[in-house]
Amino acid sequence: IQYADLWQAYCEVNEQFVHGLFQFKKEKDMVWIHDIYLLLAPFYLRKKDLNCNIGFFVQSPFPSSDVFKTCQHRIELLKSLLCSDIIGFNVYEYSRNFTAACRKILKLSSSPKKGGYVGVEYNGRTILIKVGQIRVNIEDVKKSLKTKEFSDYREHIFQMLIQPKQFLLSSVDRIHPISGIKQKLEGYQHFLRNCPNLRSKTCLMLFLLPPECENFGVEQLIASDGFSPQISFKSLDPSIFLKRNSQTRDSLNLHQNWTKDLLKNTLGDILKLVAEIQNEFGHGCLIFRQENLTQEQRCALW
């Protein structure tokens, strides 16, 4: 599969999302966009509506300017993001990387603004950069702790333990090649090998969530590896957002097959390592589940 084909498909998906949005958008509506899947959407929005009020939140880490310079379409991506009125990042480091990329790649200036914002000057406009850390709503947590679901699942967790443990480690992860699940398991395996006195006292409960790209037959993929899914996967065909030309469809099919193979290899590595740890140290050291946890269940787990 060619990089140019992937980039063309990415552009078309973004353009078609914006096209669909304008079927519902009213004149003074603010458009709020999330994450790397729609980095070009602000450009297409601004192209259709010069006065559109656009907010963009980058959920993913934004790389350093030196790393971002290696991206072939770095200028297009930066200029598209700068079509927004406000851009949010999870942590200060990512916002700093973004402003540094604007300065080094596009030669733009930035300065502090009132309210904790940073302003980037672009095409006669000031784009506000804001850091918005993820917070825990304490009141929601308190409500969850009083529910029957919390109590029942807490009891369920203890029932899953083969023997009483002094140390319970828990982890909730999504299947993804860069999610670090394999490295986490390797670290836990290293811990068990080097701390034999803690093996009988420690248990890792690893909960695996389905991947976000749910259109690649993941349910069958997991079942084929002897891992029975307990939740349903919704089917979403992204080709409905693409222009109906054969070249785009061929590129999409190639990308789907490549992604399916990548996910299958990732899951295969995880399952192999889980079995290796359980065989070496016993099933009581590692409990591996696939569940879609509610807020109450997560509170019980933590």
Side-chain angles (χ1 to χ4, degrees):
I1 189 167
Q2 298 296 319
Y3 175 82
D5 295 333
L6 293 176
W7 173 252
Q8 180 63 27
Y10 182 78
C11 293
E12 291 181 0
V13 167
N14 276 254
E15 186 175 12
Q16 291 303 311
F17 260 99
V18 171
H19 177 74
L21 172 67
F22 271 84
Q23 299 178 29
F24 308 97
K25 180 184 175 299
K26 298 178 181 179
E27 184 177 353
K28 295 184 179 180
D29 284 349
M30 179 180 185
V31 179
W32 193 254
I33 308 168
H34 278 269
D35 218 19
I36 57 176
Y37 316 105
L38 295 171
L39 289 174
L40 294 179
F43 166 75
Y44 291 114
L45 274 167
R46 191 67 66 189
K47 187 177 179 180
K48 278 182 169 288
D49 183 357
L50 189 62
N51 298 316
C52 184
N53 191 7
I54 305 171
F56 197 108
F57 198 91
V58 185
Q59 302 279 6
S60 304
F62 197 91
S64 67
S65 57
D66 290 336
V67 173
F68 194 70
K69 282 180 181 179
T70 64
C71 176
Q72 181 177 340
H73 296 281
R74 56 192 177 276
I75 293 178
E76 293 95 321
L77 294 174
L78 283 178
K79 287 186 175 181
S80 176
L81 282 173
L82 291 170
C83 287
S84 307
D85 296 287
I86 181 170
I87 306 172
F89 296 89
N90 277 324
V91 296
Y92 173 73
E93 180 185 356
Y94 304 155
S95 67
R96 182 183 59 191
N97 289 344
F98 175 76
T99 54
C102 291
R103 183 177 68 254
K104 295 180 180 180
I105 297 173
L106 299 180
K107 310 301 180 184
L108 301 178
S109 61
S110 60
S111 59
K113 301 295 180 182
K114 291 182 179 180
Y117 294 90
V118 172
V120 176
E121 306 300 325
Y122 176 65
N123 278 352
R125 299 167 52 247
T126 300
I127 294 85
L128 297 178
I129 312 300
K130 178 69 173 178
V131 177
Q133 292 91 347
I134 298 175
R135 297 178 177 88
V136 175
N137 190 321
I138 300 300
E139 294 304 317
D140 283 350
V141 172
K142 289 180 179 179
K143 291 179 182 178
S144 297
L145 297 180
K146 298 177 181 178
T147 62
K148 185 177 184 298
E149 184 179 5
F150 166 81
S151 302
D152 291 346
Y153 199 76
R154 184 173 180 271
E155 183 64 27
H156 173 62
I157 291 172
F158 284 114
Q159 290 176 358
M160 281 195 290
L161 298 179
I162 295 177
Q163 54 184 318
K165 303 286 183 177
Q166 291 183 0
F167 304 104
L168 175 61
L169 309 176
S170 61
S171 177
V172 180
D173 296 283
R174 191 175 297 278
I175 304 173
H176 195 282
I178 61 172
S179 60
I181 304 173
K182 182 181 177 182
Q183 289 73 19
K184 183 180 297 183
L185 287 170
E186 288 174 340
Y188 184 59
Q189 185 181 45
H190 179 78
F191 163 76
L192 293 176
R193 286 174 176 172
N194 288 274
C195 302
N197 58 314
L198 294 177
R199 292 174 188 171
S200 62
K201 302 177 182 179
T202 308
C203 177
L204 170 62
M205 297 185 69
L206 178 61
F207 291 81
L208 197 63
L209 304 181
E212 292 178 328
C213 44
E214 297 168 340
N215 54 297
F216 298 113
V218 180
E219 188 170 20
Q220 293 78 11
L221 182 156
I222 293 178
S224 68
D225 283 89
F227 183 50
S228 300
Q230 299 175 13
I231 64 174
S232 61
F233 293 82
K234 295 179 181 178
S235 177
L236 173 64
D237 182 5
S239 62
I240 63 175
F241 300 114
L242 299 178
K243 294 178 180 177
R244 299 296 183 174
N245 62 71
S246 59
Q247 183 178 1
T248 299
R249 287 198 300 270
D250 291 343
S251 298
L252 180 63
N253 290 334
L254 285 171
H255 185 245
Q256 287 179 334
N257 292 334
W258 176 80
T259 305
K260 184 186 293 185
D261 290 340
L262 186 61
L263 288 174
K264 187 170 184 177
N265 291 337
T266 300
L267 182 61
D269 290 341
I270 294 171
L271 294 175
K272 182 179 179 181
L273 194 51
V274 166
E276 184 179 316
I277 293 173
Q278 290 179 335
N279 290 335
E280 184 175 355
F281 304 106
H283 288 258
C285 289
L286 173 59
I287 296 177
F288 184 60
R289 300 293 297 269
Q290 192 233 349
E291 293 184 23
N292 202 10
L293 301 176
T294 65
Q295 177 173 304
E296 289 73 20
Q297 291 172 337
R298 289 183 184 235
C299 286
L301 183 62
W302 305 142

